[in-house]
Amino acid sequence: MQTGNVTTPFGRRSVKFALVKSQLDMKEGRAHQAIPKWKVFRDICEARGILGLHDRALAVLDALLSFYPEAELSNERSLVVFPSNAQLSLRAHGISGTTLRRHLAALIDAGVIHRHDSPNGKRYAHRGKTGEIEKAFGFSLAPLVFRAGEFAHLAQSVAEERRLYKRTKEALTICRRDVRKLISAAVEEGIDGDWEGIEGQYIGLLVRLGRSPAHQVMAAVLEDLEMLREEIVNLLEIHLKTEKINGNDIQNGCHKQNSNTESIHELEPSSENEQDETSTHEPKRMVEPTKAFPLGMVLKACPQIVDYASGGAVSNWREMMSAAVVVRSMLGVSPSAYQEASDTLGPENAATAIACILERAGHINSAGGYLRDLTRKAARGEFSLGPMLMALMRANTVSARKSA
C-alpha cells in the first residue's frame, strides 16, 4: 500500500503548490474506500468541460485505467500504474508521443492523476517474494478515489444543466413559432395594432441569441419572448371581445326590428314570380357564398352607405355590415330577407347588395322584394354583384365629370 507521502516530479518539471495541497488533502481523507473505476471514469467524461479536458485526454485516462487490474479502485492496494509511453500510446489509439505527454500533463493539472516519479524518472515497480507490488513509480490514480464524490457531483450538475438547456431551447423554439405566426395572422386579418413595432421587437430578441447562445442568454431571451407573446395574445383577445360585442349589437338590432309585429317593413310586397315560386314549395338549392369584393371597390361604387356608418366612416367589413343593418331597416327590408341573402351570398356580399340597393333606391319599388329576387337568382347561379358594382362605379364617374 502506498504511504501517501508528498512527491515531486522528476527532472526539470517544477512542482506547483496546488499539487502539494491536493496530496496533503488526500492524506487527511478517508483511509479505506473502494470506487468502481469505470463509474468514476464516466463521471469525469461527463464533467470534462468543467475540468478542462479534451477527448484525447480522456482516451489517455482510459488507457491508464486499463493497466489497473481490478474493477474497483481501492486504497487497500497500490494505485500507481507504470506503463511505458509506447504501451500507453498503443492503448490510447496510437496517439503520438508529443500528444500523449501533453494530455498526461492536462490530466495532472486537472487533478485527475498524480505523478509518482522514480529517482531516474523511469516507471517500474518493486515486488515482494509473493509477487505483490511493494513500491511502484508511475502515475497515481489515488485522486480518482479521493475526488470520486466531487466528480459525481460535477457530472450530475452537467447533466442537469444539459437538461435545462434542452428544455429552454424547446420552449424558445415554441415561443418563437407562436410569436411569428401570431404576428402574421394579425397582419393578414387586418387587426389593429402596432405590428411593425412588435415585429421589430421580435427581430431584436432573435439577434441577441447569436449563433451559439449560452443557457443564460437563452433563458433571458425566452423570458422577453414570453412577455411579447402575452402582449400579442392580449391584443388579439381585445379584438375578439370587441368583435363579439359588435356582433351582439348587430343581432340585438335585428331582434328589435322583429319585435314590432305590426311593422309594414316585415310585409314588403313581393313580385308575382316570388309568390308563384313560394307556392310550389320547391326545396332550396344550397350554394357556396362567393368571395367578397374589395371593400374599397364597394365604397367607390356605393358611397352613400358611409352616411349610415357609426362615426361617418367605414374602414373595415365589420363597420360595413353594421351600416348595412341600419340601411336594411330604413329601406324596409325584413330581417328574414336579409338573413336569406347573407346565407346565400355571404355576410359581406349581402351588405354590398344593400349598399347597391341604397344607391338605386329611387328606381326600386320594393327593396325587400328586389333583394329576395337577387338572392334567388344568385342561388341559381344567374346573378353576380360584379356587373352591378361596375355599373354603379361608371355612373358615379359620369356624375363626377358632369358636376366638374
Side-chain angles (χ1 to χ4, degrees):
M1 186 179 81
Q2 297 297 124
T3 60
N5 293 330
V6 174
T7 62
T8 58
F10 168 78
R12 297 181 181 180
R13 300 188 189 98
S14 60
V15 63
K16 297 180 180 179
F17 179 72
L19 176 62
V20 176
K21 180 178 182 300
S22 64
Q23 293 185 57
L24 292 174
D25 287 342
M26 284 193 294
K27 286 180 64 177
E28 298 175 359
R30 286 166 288 185
H32 303 287
Q33 191 176 14
I35 301 296
K37 65 178 181 180
W38 298 120
K39 168 64 170 60
V40 71
F41 175 73
R42 288 192 296 271
D43 290 339
I44 292 173
C45 289
E46 189 76 50
R48 65 184 181 276
I50 299 176
L51 296 172
L53 298 176
H54 298 289
D55 295 343
R56 287 292 186 88
L58 297 177
V60 173
L61 179 60
D62 177 76
L64 285 171
L65 286 172
S66 70
F67 286 99
Y68 187 81
E70 304 297 330
E72 291 186 337
L73 300 171
S74 174
N75 290 325
E76 296 294 323
R77 298 173 57 87
S78 172
L79 291 172
V80 176
V81 292
F82 41 91
S84 66
N85 282 358
Q87 292 173 317
L88 268 179
S89 177
L90 185 62
R91 293 198 186 184
H93 312 295
I95 62 177
S96 65
T98 303
T99 304
L100 176 65
R101 288 190 290 273
R102 184 171 68 251
H103 290 298
L104 282 171
L107 290 171
I108 293 169
D109 291 340
V112 175
I113 61 174
H114 285 163
R115 287 187 181 276
H116 196 75
D117 288 345
S118 65
N120 62 0
K122 301 294 183 177
R123 300 169 201 155
Y124 56 87
H126 295 297
R127 298 180 182 271
K129 293 181 179 181
T130 60
E132 182 183 357
I133 296 177
E134 295 179 344
K135 185 76 171 179
F137 300 97
F139 298 104
S140 173
L141 303 178
L144 297 180
V145 178
F146 178 73
R147 300 182 63 187
E150 178 187 350
F151 292 144
H153 178 74
L154 290 176
Q156 291 174 6
S157 65
V158 169
E160 179 65 13
E161 178 68 17
R162 185 168 57 248
R163 186 187 69 83
L164 293 176
Y165 182 90
K166 183 179 179 180
R167 294 289 179 86
T168 303
K169 187 176 181 180
E170 289 176 350
L172 183 63
T173 299
I174 294 172
C175 195
R176 286 176 60 177
R177 181 185 67 200
D178 291 346
V179 172
R180 174 69 276 167
K181 292 194 173 184
L182 288 173
I183 292 175
S184 299
V187 172
E188 290 174 2
E189 294 293 331
I191 297 173
D192 295 335
D194 183 16
W195 302 113
E196 185 175 351
I198 293 175
E199 175 83 9
Q201 295 180 47
Y202 172 69
I203 294 175
L205 290 173
L206 296 188
V207 170
R208 284 171 52 188
L209 286 175
R211 300 187 66 178
S212 300
H215 180 221
Q216 293 79 1
V217 175
M218 288 178 58
V221 172
L222 174 60
E223 183 178 357
D224 292 341
L225 266 179
E226 287 175 339
M227 292 177 62
L228 184 62
R229 179 175 60 184
E230 185 176 354
E231 178 183 349
I232 295 172
V233 171
N234 287 338
L235 289 173
L236 297 179
E237 189 175 1
I238 291 172
H239 171 76
L240 291 175
K241 289 181 179 179
T242 303
E243 196 173 53
K244 184 176 181 181
I245 292 173
N246 290 335
N248 290 338
D249 289 343
I250 294 174
Q251 294 176 3
N252 292 337
C254 293
H255 178 71
K256 291 178 181 177
Q257 296 297 330
N258 286 332
S259 63
N260 185 1
T261 57
E262 298 180 356
S263 173
I264 60 173
H265 296 159
E266 297 296 320
L267 303 172
E268 76 275 11
S270 301
S271 63
E272 294 179 359
N273 293 335
E274 178 185 357
Q275 294 174 355
D276 293 340
E277 293 182 10
T278 303
S279 63
T280 60
H281 299 287
E282 293 182 357
K284 294 181 180 180
R285 183 174 57 176
M286 299 302 293
V287 295
E288 186 73 16
T290 58
K291 185 177 180 180
F293 291 88
L295 182 59
M297 175 183 176
V298 175
L299 294 177
K300 188 174 181 180
C302 311
Q304 293 185 46
I305 197 167
V306 176
D307 298 334
Y308 300 90
S310 177
V314 174
S315 58
N316 53 55
W317 278 111
R318 186 175 65 253
E319 295 174 355
M320 176 71 177
M321 288 186 284
S322 297
V325 171
V326 176
V327 174
R328 175 202 66 73
S329 176
M330 183 198 69
L331 293 176
V333 177
S334 67
S336 61
Y338 186 69
Q339 184 62 47
E340 184 179 359
S342 296
D343 294 341
T344 304
L345 303 173
E348 294 86 356
N349 286 336
T352 300
I354 290 293
C356 291
I357 293 173
L358 175 63
E359 292 293 320
R360 297 179 53 82
H363 306 280
I364 298 174
N365 294 328
S366 171
Y370 188 76
L371 181 62
R372 287 188 184 275
D373 191 49
L374 294 182
T375 301
R376 286 194 302 274
K377 288 181 178 179
R380 297 194 299 265
E382 299 173 358
F383 171 74
S384 173
L385 283 169
M388 182 181 291
L389 288 171
M390 297 303 296
L392 289 172
M393 289 177 64
R394 286 194 296 268
N396 291 338
T397 302
V398 172
S399 300
R401 288 176 180 176
K402 288 182 178 178
S403 62

